[in-house]
Amino acid sequence: MGEMVLEAIQQASTNFLRTAAELVPRAVVTISLVLVGWIIAVLLKRVTRLVLTRTGFGRLCERQGLAEALRNADLPPAAVILSSLVFWVVWIGFLLSGVDVLGFSALQGLVHEFALFVPRLLVGLVVVVVGLVLSNVAWRATLLGAVNAKLPSPRVLAGTVRTLGLILTAAMALDQIAVARTIVL
């Protein structure tokens, strides 16, 4: 009986040491990937913000009314939002790659799902930007037309057109990234 207990303890300790010997190098690689990914993400964030600033992206946002909409929503400028988005997409990609290196079977599909999600997210962002621009154009056109036609409450009418455009834009973007698809439909 004592030999069985001793053999079970030896087997358990052998299994533990073998698992630890396999896991420690993977954990070191994971930590390295996450740290390198964070550094790359920070650099890409700064480069993105610099490129957007140098190309006059802020002036374009001002002309299209996006900057005003962001200020009204107490959000940072569009260049800051886009550069932060670049940071998070890159860093989460590295983070998921690091988790994939660990070899946990429950988390194996995360990297693949994330790789499928990023293009949908980018298309959703393009839909939002185009929708904001078109909603502002429709708002201005409706306001001018309603004022010229001397309709009562032209601002309310134009605001309604803009709100409907934004709702349609949000629904299209959510459908594109496959979030709350049944609610959107």
Side-chain angles (χ1 to χ4, degrees):
M1 175 87 158
E3 287 181 23
M4 288 176 58
V5 170
L6 185 59
E7 189 177 314
I9 292 173
Q10 286 177 341
Q11 183 67 32
S13 63
T14 303
N15 288 341
F16 173 75
L17 290 175
R18 184 179 26 174
T19 303
E22 291 175 2
L23 187 60
V24 168
R26 290 180 184 176
V28 169
V29 170
T30 297
I31 291 169
S32 300
L33 269 173
V34 170
L35 289 176
V36 168
W38 184 78
I39 291 168
I40 290 172
V42 167
L43 289 174
L44 286 176
K45 177 181 178 179
R46 290 181 180 167
V47 167
T48 303
R49 191 175 297 172
L50 181 68
V51 166
L52 290 175
T53 303
R54 296 267 169 107
T55 58
F57 183 72
R59 288 187 305 269
L60 176 67
C61 291
E62 285 288 340
R63 282 194 309 256
Q64 296 302 322
L66 180 61
E68 181 183 345
L70 291 174
R71 276 192 300 274
N72 290 339
D74 287 332
L75 293 172
V80 173
I81 291 173
L82 286 176
S83 61
S84 295
L85 179 70
V86 167
F87 169 82
W88 285 107
V89 167
V90 170
W91 193 62
I92 288 173
F94 274 98
L95 186 66
L96 291 177
S97 296
V99 168
D100 194 40
V101 167
L102 289 175
F104 296 137
S105 60
L107 303 174
Q108 290 293 323
L110 283 178
V111 174
H112 179 67
E113 291 296 321
F114 183 71
L116 293 176
F117 177 72
V118 170
R120 290 192 318 250
L121 178 66
L122 294 176
V123 171
L125 287 173
V126 168
V127 167
V128 166
V129 169
V130 169
L132 284 171
V133 170
L134 291 178
S135 293
N136 284 335
V137 168
W139 172 74
R140 288 179 183 163
T142 305
L143 184 61
L144 284 172
V147 167
N148 288 338
K150 296 185 174 130
L151 293 176
S153 304
R155 288 195 179 274
V156 173
L157 181 63
T160 303
V161 168
R162 179 190 236 173
T163 302
L164 290 174
L166 293 175
I167 290 170
L168 179 64
T169 297
M172 290 170 60
L174 288 174
D175 184 53
Q176 180 61 41
I177 62 173
V179 173
R181 187 164 265 167
T182 56
I183 293 172
V184 171
L185 292 177

